Amino acid sequence: MLKVGIVGISGRMGHVLWDSALGMDGLKVVCGIDRNPSSLPLGCNVEVVGNPSALSSVPDLFIDFTRPECSLSVLEYAKANNVKVVLGTTGFDDDQKALIKDYAKHIPIVFAANFSVGINILLSLIKKTASIMQDADIEIVEAHHRYKVDCPSGTALAMGEAAAAGRNVLLRDVMVSGRDGITGARQYGTIGFSSIRGGDIVGDHEVMFCTDGEIVSLNHKASSRATFARGALQSAMWLADKKPGLYSMKEVLELQKI
């Protein structure tokens, strides 16, 4: 039985992870991490502490969908205690991503901007389409709920990375985000990003490949956070017997074979 700890168990994803894990074969939530456990999931009867160092026993694996500063402290504990990590936090800067790679030398980590099966299939299609439609203008539009703190979303950036990889360029060299005012004509080869924040939108993403005469659009609409929870729990089970390393949903879903 894989013993799992949910980081941010009082949050929106924490609730969905708890509910989705109930009754799963081979996996059991045994603890939670939350500095403000004001709204625990219904029926939550496990140890919940504000810091992993306060846990009375060490779980086998953490699932973390919180914020970068929290996730890095969890990774430090995980490294010291040989705990596997499924990491769905977004908003890391380049230095923090380098730290995650370093932690992965010591513990197994599945790190993904989005744990939806559909999104990860879409990333493969985006890369292929970008490689074929070399003359297309690429625009990425994403929408999320009013509480999301990072922009563009981690998923939108992953889509941009996939498109850039399809053209053998680096996203940071071609990315244009948040146009405003007199911007001039669109520069050839750039990848544009637009973000919407409002209401309770779970997550909508669209990648448009625009040429003279036609538009190819690849899109994904998430109607429930349960899709991300299922992907994270699938990743947890997959990671159970893995050696230290930095893995993605591509390995979990065997998309590298496509």
Side-chain angles (χ1 to χ4, degrees), residues 82 84 103-109 241-247:
N82 196 30
K84 303 169 179 67
Y103 284 120
K105 296 174 183 176
H106 307 276
I107 56 174
I109 301 171
D241 61 354
K242 297 299 181 291
K243 296 178 179 179
L246 187 60
Y247 304 98

Side-chain angles (χ1 to χ4, degrees), residues 5 19 54 79 85 110 115 137 143-144 155 179 210 226 240 256:
D19 292 341
K79 173 186 172 183
V85 179
V110 172
F115 280 85
D137 297 324
H144 284 85
T155 301
R179 297 186 185 93
C210 309
Q256 69 271 25

Side-chain angles (χ1 to χ4, degrees), residues 18 88 91 121-122 152 179:
W18 171 268
I121 293 171
L122 198 62
R179 297 186 185 93

Side-chain angles (χ1 to χ4, degrees), residues 117-181:
V117 172
I119 281 287
N120 283 280
I121 293 171
L122 198 62
L123 292 175
S124 296
L125 297 176
I126 291 167
K127 181 178 179 181
K128 185 66 173 178
T129 305
S131 70
I132 295 171
M133 299 184 70
Q134 289 284 338
D135 62 334
D137 297 324
I138 301 176
E139 290 289 320
I140 299 172
V141 182
E142 55 98 352
H144 284 85
H145 53 87
R146 63 170 68 93
Y147 301 109
K148 187 166 180 61
V149 298
D150 56 314
C151 182
S153 71
T155 301
L157 291 171
M159 290 176 164
E161 294 281 3
R167 293 187 171 175
N168 295 312
V169 297
L170 296 176
L171 180 60
R172 64 172 178 263
D173 295 334
V174 297
M175 179 177 175
V176 176
S177 184
R179 297 186 185 93
D180 184 50

Side-chain angles (χ1 to χ4, degrees), residues 13 63-65 85-89 109-120 155 226-236 247-249 252-253:
M13 271 304 299
I63 301 178
D64 186 350
F65 283 79
V85 179
V86 172
L87 184 58
T89 300
I109 301 171
V110 172
F111 179 33
N114 193 303
F115 280 85
S116 156
V117 172
I119 281 287
N120 283 280
T155 301
T227 187
F228 311 132
R230 287 193 295 270
L233 291 166
Q234 180 180 351
S235 298
Y247 304 98
S248 70
M249 284 295 282
V252 175
L253 300 173

Side-chain angles (χ1 to χ4, degrees), residues 40-100:
L40 293 173
L42 184 65
C44 180
N45 56 357
V46 298
E47 180 182 25
V48 178
V49 297
N51 190 291
S53 61
L55 288 170
S56 59
S57 61
V58 178
D60 300 318
L61 181 146
F62 283 123
I63 301 178
D64 186 350
F65 283 79
T66 57
R67 297 191 181 184
E69 61 275 10
C70 174
S71 296
L72 290 174
S73 67
V74 168
L75 286 166
E76 184 64 31
Y77 173 90
K79 173 186 172 183
N81 292 273
N82 196 30
V83 181
K84 303 169 179 67
V85 179
V86 172
L87 184 58
T89 300
T90 59
F92 293 104
D93 61 30
D94 289 341
D95 290 339
Q96 290 169 328
K97 289 178 181 178
L99 286 174
I100 294 170

